Amino acid sequence: MSTVTLIGSRLAEPGTEFVYEGEADGCAGCPYRSQCLNLSPDTKYRVTSVRENAQTLECAMHDGGVRAVEVEPVPVRANITTKGAFAGSKASLQGPCPYVECPSHEYCEPDGVAFDEEYRIRKIVGDPPHDVCHLDRSLQLVELETND
């Protein structure tokens, strides 16, 4: 289900994905607060459409102003331990990984997911993109639901 919100005009393109971080210091006193701050913090969203004929509004946080868009929460791809991983079960991330050059790093530390929380597995994607885990973890690439 989509939600109408305001985001920076430079990000207002269908397909753009972002993690909503919550209220920033510059939001205090803004007349558009209720339209901007209506998403769930630490959740990943995708812009599904930009509102036609919507004006660009001034914003203290976005130098190009903000525009009205429709967004939907998106599942996050992540590497989790293979043991007990199946669609519908709950899982959490294994923890930080210092190997930033690894092709799986973005899935071991994905945006919009916290290490200390459990998430429902939406679907099993398959093997992670790395050949060898340098931390000797047995991992599987999955899609996690982050908006339970």
Side-chain angles (χ1 to χ4, degrees):
M1 185 158 110
S2 65
T3 301
V4 177
T5 192
L6 299 174
I7 66 169
S9 60
R10 295 179 193 200
L11 301 171
E13 293 288 331
T16 299
E17 293 185 359
F18 64 95
V19 175
Y20 177 67
E21 300 290 339
E23 185 173 355
D25 292 340
C27 298
C30 176
Y32 310 116
R33 287 172 50 89
S34 63
Q35 291 94 352
C36 273
L37 305 176
N38 61 344
L39 302 178
S40 298
D42 302 319
T43 300
K44 190 171 188 177
Y45 291 91
R46 178 182 300 123
V47 176
T48 57
S49 67
V50 178
R51 286 290 174 108
E52 293 294 322
N53 302 320
Q55 64 182 359
T56 300
L57 304 169
E58 287 190 33
C59 175
M61 299 307 301
H62 296 277
D63 62 354
V66 292
R67 301 251 344 250
V69 297
E70 291 186 32
V71 298
E72 290 182 347
V74 294
V76 173
R77 286 194 171 194
N79 283 333
I80 59 151
T81 187
T82 304
K83 184 178 179 181
F86 59 90
S89 67
K90 288 207 167 195
S92 57
L93 298 177
Q94 291 296 294
C97 175
Y99 297 97
V100 296
E101 298 299 319
C102 175
S104 278
H105 190 266
E106 68 179 292
Y107 303 114
C108 289
E109 296 190 22
D111 292 334
V113 179
F115 289 119
D116 57 348
E117 291 188 33
E118 283 194 330
Y119 300 92
R120 185 163 314 281
I121 298 173
R122 181 174 181 258
K123 85 176 185 184
I124 304 295
V125 176
D127 292 330
H130 64 266
D131 292 325
V132 174
C133 176
H134 298 291
L135 296 177
D136 201 29
R137 295 174 175 167
S138 178
L139 301 171
Q140 191 162 35
L141 186 61
V142 300
E143 282 187 358
L144 300 174
E145 290 290 343
T146 59
N147 55 339
D148 283 350

